[in-house]
Amino acid sequence: MPSPRKLAKLRAIALEAGLATAGLHRRCLKHVAFVGVTGSCGKTTTKELTAAVLGASLPGRRSPASHNSLTDVGTTVLRTTGSDAFCVVEIAAWEPGSVARAARVVAPNIAVVTNIGADHRKAFRSLEATAAEKAELLSAVARGGTAGLNADDERVRAMAQGFHGRVITYGRSPDASLRAENIRARWPERLSFTLHVGERSCSVSTRLCGEHSLTSALAALGVAHAIGLPLDRAIDALAAAEPAPARMSPVALDGATFILDDAKAPLWTMDAAFAFLRDARAARKLAVIGTLSDYAVSASRAYPSVARRGFAVADEVVFVGRNARHTLKAKHDADARPLHAFATFEEAAEYLRGTLREGDLVLVKGSEGDHLQGILRALTA
């Protein structure tokens, strides 16, 4: 049997061969509009919404679920055919050079960047380095292509400088190409807003949860605008699109509502999660929090800090996972609000089984490895 080192080398050779094949295949698909989506968060939601908006009018495909490795990128490209009008590919950054490698294969006609955050802190060290990595997607845009940039993120907006093609910006900024105002998303309301494109204004309704979903919704409409789809048709398609699984997706259970946002939980994304819970209208609010990632301090400092912030917006805070015990340091700051720490989702489910009430709103925020959706399975068993 080959040694682990030899197996790793063989896998690397196979990956390079696969990417080269996918790159050649991509160059044969001259009439397919390839859309590359990158950013620190919101990639999967943006990719799914973009595919839904385009797919209501055109045949096409997208990378599945949140699969965004180099292998997934190559496989998605290889599965695209000449009968497709578009292909939307999610492109992740996990180490220096990762975006460039994927972007060379996809050679996008449209490159979308959602935002820059503190993901993969160990790999990139700074937000500037993260932005430089994400900007590699624009460097691979085919001649005459388009960049779709978040006008509200200064590091994304700056990527327009020196870009050789068309730039479409989106956001709340007054000069954004697609500008949103009158934004409403106070649960149980779903996200809605007024969209301004040039001299035109339109009302937009969505099935999305939380104001922070606005970036993905605008990005999807921006891609449709870049391709030339009628705005009314794009807005109708967006209105019908459901939240991506584990991305602020609601599940009703015995009179309570769970909002599942448990794909990943970088520390910097907790602001948006807590803002959603703060503004929501519900008889009682609970936060169930799993494993945090991408924080600079020790777990013994990060988790109690998050617990204290949770108390500001929730009636109960429940932590799950191997670091949950650290949160108990915040218990004396909790006023009369309950704080619980469980090592496993089974234990958390058992607690919730006895405490859930009709009308409860439960935000579930964590990482895939926490298996927090097991709480729902246990409660429905």
Side-chain angles (χ1 to χ4, degrees), residues 61-86:
R61 66 186 64 241
R62 66 191 190 283
S63 48
S66 57
H67 300 170
N68 53 31
S69 70
L70 286 172
T71 300
D72 297 320
V73 169
T75 300
T76 300
V77 171
L78 286 169
R79 288 177 176 169
T80 306
T81 71
S83 60
D84 292 313
F86 69 86

PDB file of all heavy atoms in Angstrom, residues 61-86:
ATOM      1  N   ARG A  61     -27.090  25.744 -14.153  1.00  0.00           N
ATOM      2  CA  ARG A  61     -26.748  24.930 -12.990  1.00  0.00           C
ATOM      3  C   ARG A  61     -25.917  25.742 -12.012  1.00  0.00           C
ATOM      4  O   ARG A  61     -25.501  26.860 -12.292  1.00  0.00           O
ATOM      5  CB  ARG A  61     -26.027  23.657 -13.403  1.00  0.00           C
ATOM      6  CG  ARG A  61     -24.657  23.859 -14.032  1.00  0.00           C
ATOM      7  CD  ARG A  61     -24.116  22.527 -14.521  1.00  0.00           C
ATOM      8  NE  ARG A  61     -24.936  21.969 -15.583  1.00  0.00           N
ATOM      9  CZ  ARG A  61     -25.560  20.791 -15.487  1.00  0.00           C
ATOM     10  NH1 ARG A  61     -25.451  20.057 -14.399  1.00  0.00           N
ATOM     11  NH2 ARG A  61     -26.273  20.345 -16.491  1.00  0.00           N
ATOM     12  N   ARG A  62     -25.683  25.152 -10.860  1.00  0.00           N
ATOM     13  CA  ARG A  62     -24.927  25.808  -9.798  1.00  0.00           C
ATOM     14  C   ARG A  62     -24.135  24.753  -9.047  1.00  0.00           C
ATOM     15  O   ARG A  62     -24.445  23.559  -9.130  1.00  0.00           O
ATOM     16  CB  ARG A  62     -25.863  26.515  -8.827  1.00  0.00           C
ATOM     17  CG  ARG A  62     -26.755  25.554  -8.025  1.00  0.00           C
ATOM     18  CD  ARG A  62     -27.838  26.308  -7.293  1.00  0.00           C
ATOM     19  NE  ARG A  62     -28.572  25.486  -6.352  1.00  0.00           N
ATOM     20  CZ  ARG A  62     -29.507  24.602  -6.658  1.00  0.00           C
ATOM     21  NH1 ARG A  62     -29.824  24.400  -7.937  1.00  0.00           N
ATOM     22  NH2 ARG A  62     -30.131  23.921  -5.724  1.00  0.00           N
ATOM     23  N   SER A  63     -23.135  25.183  -8.306  1.00  0.00           N
ATOM     24  CA  SER A  63     -22.423  24.241  -7.449  1.00  0.00           C
ATOM     25  C   SER A  63     -23.370  23.819  -6.327  1.00  0.00           C
ATOM     26  O   SER A  63     -24.151  24.630  -5.823  1.00  0.00           O
ATOM     27  CB  SER A  63     -21.150  24.877  -6.883  1.00  0.00           C
ATOM     28  OG  SER A  63     -21.404  26.153  -6.355  1.00  0.00           O
ATOM     29  N   PRO A  64     -23.341  22.535  -5.924  1.00  0.00           N
ATOM     30  CA  PRO A  64     -24.336  22.028  -4.974  1.00  0.00           C
ATOM     31  C   PRO A  64     -24.063  22.461  -3.541  1.00  0.00           C
ATOM     32  O   PRO A  64     -22.917  22.609  -3.122  1.00  0.00           O
ATOM     33  CB  PRO A  64     -24.189  20.508  -5.113  1.00  0.00           C
ATOM     34  CG  PRO A  64     -22.777  20.304  -5.555  1.00  0.00           C
ATOM     35  CD  PRO A  64     -22.444  21.486  -6.416  1.00  0.00           C
ATOM     36  N   ALA A  65     -25.157  22.678  -2.794  1.00  0.00           N
ATOM     37  CA  ALA A  65     -25.090  22.979  -1.361  1.00  0.00           C
ATOM     38  C   ALA A  65     -24.032  24.049  -1.102  1.00  0.00           C
ATOM     39  O   ALA A  65     -24.001  25.076  -1.775  1.00  0.00           O
ATOM     40  CB  ALA A  65     -24.827  21.705  -0.580  1.00  0.00           C
ATOM     41  N   SER A  66     -23.165  23.812  -0.117  1.00  0.00           N
ATOM     42  CA  SER A  66     -22.080  24.764   0.149  1.00  0.00           C
ATOM     43  C   SER A  66     -20.741  24.176  -0.274  1.00  0.00           C
ATOM     44  O   SER A  66     -19.696  24.527   0.266  1.00  0.00           O
ATOM     45  CB  SER A  66     -22.047  25.123   1.636  1.00  0.00           C
ATOM     46  OG  SER A  66     -21.898  23.965   2.428  1.00  0.00           O
ATOM     47  N   HIS A  67     -20.750  23.288  -1.265  1.00  0.00           N
ATOM     48  CA  HIS A  67     -19.536  22.624  -1.726  1.00  0.00           C
ATOM     49  C   HIS A  67     -18.686  23.609  -2.529  1.00  0.00           C
ATOM     50  O   HIS A  67     -19.095  24.061  -3.599  1.00  0.00           O
ATOM     51  CB  HIS A  67     -19.891  21.406  -2.577  1.00  0.00           C
ATOM     52  CG  HIS A  67     -20.700  20.386  -1.828  1.00  0.00           C
ATOM     53  ND1 HIS A  67     -21.307  19.318  -2.440  1.00  0.00           N
ATOM     54  CD2 HIS A  67     -21.001  20.274  -0.507  1.00  0.00           C
ATOM     55  CE1 HIS A  67     -21.942  18.592  -1.545  1.00  0.00           C
ATOM     56  NE2 HIS A  67     -21.772  19.162  -0.357  1.00  0.00           N
ATOM     57  N   ASN A  68     -17.526  23.939  -2.022  1.00  0.00           N
ATOM     58  CA  ASN A  68     -16.721  24.965  -2.685  1.00  0.00           C
ATOM     59  C   ASN A  68     -15.229  24.659  -2.709  1.00  0.00           C
ATOM     60  O   ASN A  68     -14.413  25.551  -2.870  1.00  0.00           O
ATOM     61  CB  ASN A  68     -16.962  26.337  -2.040  1.00  0.00           C
ATOM     62  CG  ASN A  68     -16.747  26.305  -0.530  1.00  0.00           C
ATOM     63  OD1 ASN A  68     -15.936  25.536  -0.019  1.00  0.00           O
ATOM     64  ND2 ASN A  68     -17.476  27.148   0.185  1.00  0.00           N
ATOM     65  N   SER A  69     -14.874  23.383  -2.538  1.00  0.00           N
ATOM     66  CA  SER A  69     -13.469  23.011  -2.654  1.00  0.00           C
ATOM     67  C   SER A  69     -13.039  23.082  -4.114  1.00  0.00           C
ATOM     68  O   SER A  69     -13.874  23.217  -5.029  1.00  0.00           O
ATOM     69  CB  SER A  69     -13.245  21.599  -2.116  1.00  0.00           C
ATOM     70  OG  SER A  69     -13.833  20.646  -2.986  1.00  0.00           O
ATOM     71  N   LEU A  70     -11.744  22.966  -4.373  1.00  0.00           N
ATOM     72  CA  LEU A  70     -11.265  22.955  -5.753  1.00  0.00           C
ATOM     73  C   LEU A  70     -11.862  21.796  -6.539  1.00  0.00           C
ATOM     74  O   LEU A  70     -12.212  21.940  -7.714  1.00  0.00           O
ATOM     75  CB  LEU A  70      -9.740  22.883  -5.769  1.00  0.00           C
ATOM     76  CG  LEU A  70      -9.010  24.172  -5.373  1.00  0.00           C
ATOM     77  CD1 LEU A  70      -7.512  23.912  -5.239  1.00  0.00           C
ATOM     78  CD2 LEU A  70      -9.269  25.282  -6.387  1.00  0.00           C
ATOM     79  N   THR A  71     -11.999  20.661  -5.887  1.00  0.00           N
ATOM     80  CA  THR A  71     -12.636  19.512  -6.552  1.00  0.00           C
ATOM     81  C   THR A  71     -14.068  19.826  -6.918  1.00  0.00           C
ATOM     82  O   THR A  71     -14.528  19.511  -8.032  1.00  0.00           O
ATOM     83  CB  THR A  71     -12.584  18.275  -5.641  1.00  0.00           C
ATOM     84  OG1 THR A  71     -11.221  17.948  -5.359  1.00  0.00           O
ATOM     85  CG2 THR A  71     -13.266  17.085  -6.290  1.00  0.00           C
ATOM     86  N   ASP A  72     -14.799  20.468  -5.999  1.00  0.00           N
ATOM     87  CA  ASP A  72     -16.195  20.828  -6.276  1.00  0.00           C
ATOM     88  C   ASP A  72     -16.293  21.828  -7.429  1.00  0.00           C
ATOM     89  O   ASP A  72     -17.184  21.731  -8.272  1.00  0.00           O
ATOM     90  CB  ASP A  72     -16.831  21.430  -5.022  1.00  0.00           C
ATOM     91  CG  ASP A  72     -16.886  20.461  -3.860  1.00  0.00           C
ATOM     92  OD1 ASP A  72     -17.175  19.274  -4.097  1.00  0.00           O
ATOM     93  OD2 ASP A  72     -16.629  20.879  -2.721  1.00  0.00           O
ATOM     94  N   VAL A  73     -15.372  22.785  -7.455  1.00  0.00           N
ATOM     95  CA  VAL A  73     -15.372  23.773  -8.545  1.00  0.00           C
ATOM     96  C   VAL A  73     -15.166  23.072  -9.884  1.00  0.00           C
ATOM     97  O   VAL A  73     -15.901  23.303 -10.852  1.00  0.00           O
ATOM     98  CB  VAL A  73     -14.287  24.842  -8.300  1.00  0.00           C
ATOM     99  CG1 VAL A  73     -14.087  25.698  -9.546  1.00  0.00           C
ATOM    100  CG2 VAL A  73     -14.649  25.715  -7.111  1.00  0.00           C
ATOM    101  N   GLY A  74     -14.152  22.221  -9.949  1.00  0.00           N
ATOM    102  CA  GLY A  74     -13.880  21.514 -11.197  1.00  0.00           C
ATOM    103  C   GLY A  74     -15.037  20.630 -11.622  1.00  0.00           C
ATOM    104  O   GLY A  74     -15.407  20.586 -12.811  1.00  0.00           O
ATOM    105  N   THR A  75     -15.641  19.929 -10.662  1.00  0.00           N
ATOM    106  CA  THR A  75     -16.766  19.041 -10.982  1.00  0.00           C
ATOM    107  C   THR A  75     -17.961  19.827 -11.518  1.00  0.00           C
ATOM    108  O   THR A  75     -18.624  19.404 -12.479  1.00  0.00           O
ATOM    109  CB  THR A  75     -17.179  18.245  -9.731  1.00  0.00           C
ATOM    110  OG1 THR A  75     -16.064  17.468  -9.278  1.00  0.00           O
ATOM    111  CG2 THR A  75     -18.356  17.330 -10.027  1.00  0.00           C
ATOM    112  N   THR A  76     -18.246  20.978 -10.898  1.00  0.00           N
ATOM    113  CA  THR A  76     -19.363  21.800 -11.358  1.00  0.00           C
ATOM    114  C   THR A  76     -19.146  22.272 -12.789  1.00  0.00           C
ATOM    115  O   THR A  76     -20.059  22.238 -13.625  1.00  0.00           O
ATOM    116  CB  THR A  76     -19.557  23.009 -10.424  1.00  0.00           C
ATOM    117  OG1 THR A  76     -19.828  22.543  -9.097  1.00  0.00           O
ATOM    118  CG2 THR A  76     -20.707  23.885 -10.895  1.00  0.00           C
ATOM    119  N   VAL A  77     -17.951  22.703 -13.090  1.00  0.00           N
ATOM    120  CA  VAL A  77     -17.647  23.157 -14.453  1.00  0.00           C
ATOM    121  C   VAL A  77     -17.780  22.006 -15.446  1.00  0.00           C
ATOM    122  O   VAL A  77     -18.361  22.154 -16.532  1.00  0.00           O
ATOM    123  CB  VAL A  77     -16.237  23.768 -14.510  1.00  0.00           C
ATOM    124  CG1 VAL A  77     -15.818  24.047 -15.958  1.00  0.00           C
ATOM    125  CG2 VAL A  77     -16.190  25.059 -13.693  1.00  0.00           C
ATOM    126  N   LEU A  78     -17.261  20.842 -15.084  1.00  0.00           N
ATOM    127  CA  LEU A  78     -17.316  19.693 -15.992  1.00  0.00           C
ATOM    128  C   LEU A  78     -18.743  19.223 -16.256  1.00  0.00           C
ATOM    129  O   LEU A  78     -19.031  18.658 -17.322  1.00  0.00           O
ATOM    130  CB  LEU A  78     -16.491  18.536 -15.421  1.00  0.00           C
ATOM    131  CG  LEU A  78     -14.967  18.708 -15.517  1.00  0.00           C
ATOM    132  CD1 LEU A  78     -14.259  17.646 -14.700  1.00  0.00           C
ATOM    133  CD2 LEU A  78     -14.520  18.658 -16.978  1.00  0.00           C
ATOM    134  N   ARG A  79     -19.627  19.446 -15.311  1.00  0.00           N
ATOM    135  CA  ARG A  79     -21.022  19.027 -15.485  1.00  0.00           C
ATOM    136  C   ARG A  79     -21.838  20.026 -16.289  1.00  0.00           C
ATOM    137  O   ARG A  79     -22.977  19.746 -16.665  1.00  0.00           O
ATOM    138  CB  ARG A  79     -21.671  18.808 -14.110  1.00  0.00           C
ATOM    139  CG  ARG A  79     -21.165  17.556 -13.409  1.00  0.00           C
ATOM    140  CD  ARG A  79     -21.753  17.404 -12.021  1.00  0.00           C
ATOM    141  NE  ARG A  79     -21.329  16.152 -11.403  1.00  0.00           N
ATOM    142  CZ  ARG A  79     -21.504  15.829 -10.133  1.00  0.00           C
ATOM    143  NH1 ARG A  79     -22.104  16.689  -9.324  1.00  0.00           N
ATOM    144  NH2 ARG A  79     -21.087  14.677  -9.661  1.00  0.00           N
ATOM    145  N   THR A  80     -21.275  21.178 -16.543  1.00  0.00           N
ATOM    146  CA  THR A  80     -21.964  22.194 -17.338  1.00  0.00           C
ATOM    147  C   THR A  80     -21.864  21.837 -18.815  1.00  0.00           C
ATOM    148  O   THR A  80     -20.817  21.378 -19.284  1.00  0.00           O
ATOM    149  CB  THR A  80     -21.343  23.578 -17.081  1.00  0.00           C
ATOM    150  OG1 THR A  80     -21.332  23.837 -15.681  1.00  0.00           O
ATOM    151  CG2 THR A  80     -22.125  24.662 -17.789  1.00  0.00           C
ATOM    152  N   THR A  81     -22.956  22.038 -19.536  1.00  0.00           N
ATOM    153  CA  THR A  81     -22.993  21.688 -20.956  1.00  0.00           C
ATOM    154  C   THR A  81     -23.367  22.895 -21.798  1.00  0.00           C
ATOM    155  O   THR A  81     -23.779  23.937 -21.280  1.00  0.00           O
ATOM    156  CB  THR A  81     -24.012  20.564 -21.219  1.00  0.00           C
ATOM    157  OG1 THR A  81     -25.344  21.088 -21.067  1.00  0.00           O
ATOM    158  CG2 THR A  81     -23.817  19.402 -20.250  1.00  0.00           C
ATOM    159  N   GLY A  82     -23.258  22.733 -23.086  1.00  0.00           N
ATOM    160  CA  GLY A  82     -23.600  23.800 -24.013  1.00  0.00           C
ATOM    161  C   GLY A  82     -25.065  24.165 -24.005  1.00  0.00           C
ATOM    162  O   GLY A  82     -25.442  25.228 -24.510  1.00  0.00           O
ATOM    163  N   SER A  83     -25.914  23.315 -23.445  1.00  0.00           N
ATOM    164  CA  SER A  83     -27.336  23.635 -23.376  1.00  0.00           C
ATOM    165  C   SER A  83     -27.671  24.506 -22.160  1.00  0.00           C
ATOM    166  O   SER A  83     -28.805  24.966 -22.019  1.00  0.00           O
ATOM    167  CB  SER A  83     -28.170  22.351 -23.318  1.00  0.00           C
ATOM    168  OG  SER A  83     -27.829  21.571 -22.178  1.00  0.00           O
ATOM    169  N   ASP A  84     -26.689  24.709 -21.280  1.00  0.00           N
ATOM    170  CA  ASP A  84     -26.890  25.599 -20.134  1.00  0.00           C
ATOM    171  C   ASP A  84     -26.640  27.048 -20.561  1.00  0.00           C
ATOM    172  O   ASP A  84     -25.723  27.327 -21.331  1.00  0.00           O
ATOM    173  CB  ASP A  84     -25.923  25.251 -18.998  1.00  0.00           C
ATOM    174  CG  ASP A  84     -26.227  23.902 -18.379  1.00  0.00           C
ATOM    175  OD1 ASP A  84     -27.412  23.640 -18.092  1.00  0.00           O
ATOM    176  OD2 ASP A  84     -25.282  23.115 -18.188  1.00  0.00           O
ATOM    177  N   ALA A  85     -27.442  27.953 -20.010  1.00  0.00           N
ATOM    178  CA  ALA A  85     -27.232  29.374 -20.274  1.00  0.00           C
ATOM    179  C   ALA A  85     -26.337  30.005 -19.216  1.00  0.00           C
ATOM    180  O   ALA A  85     -25.707  31.032 -19.467  1.00  0.00           O
ATOM    181  CB  ALA A  85     -28.568  30.100 -20.327  1.00  0.00           C
ATOM    182  N   PHE A  86     -26.283  29.385 -18.032  1.00  0.00           N
ATOM    183  CA  PHE A  86     -25.468  29.948 -16.962  1.00  0.00           C
ATOM    184  C   PHE A  86     -24.955  28.845 -16.052  1.00  0.00           C
ATOM    185  O   PHE A  86     -25.475  27.727 -16.027  1.00  0.00           O
ATOM    186  CB  PHE A  86     -26.277  30.959 -16.129  1.00  0.00           C
ATOM    187  CG  PHE A  86     -27.369  30.327 -15.295  1.00  0.00           C
ATOM    188  CD1 PHE A  86     -27.108  29.828 -14.026  1.00  0.00           C
ATOM    189  CD2 PHE A  86     -28.668  30.230 -15.788  1.00  0.00           C
ATOM    190  CE1 PHE A  86     -28.103  29.249 -13.262  1.00  0.00           C
ATOM    191  CE2 PHE A  86     -29.681  29.651 -15.040  1.00  0.00           C
ATOM    192  CZ  PHE A  86     -29.394  29.152 -13.774  1.00  0.00           C
TER     193      PHE A  86
END
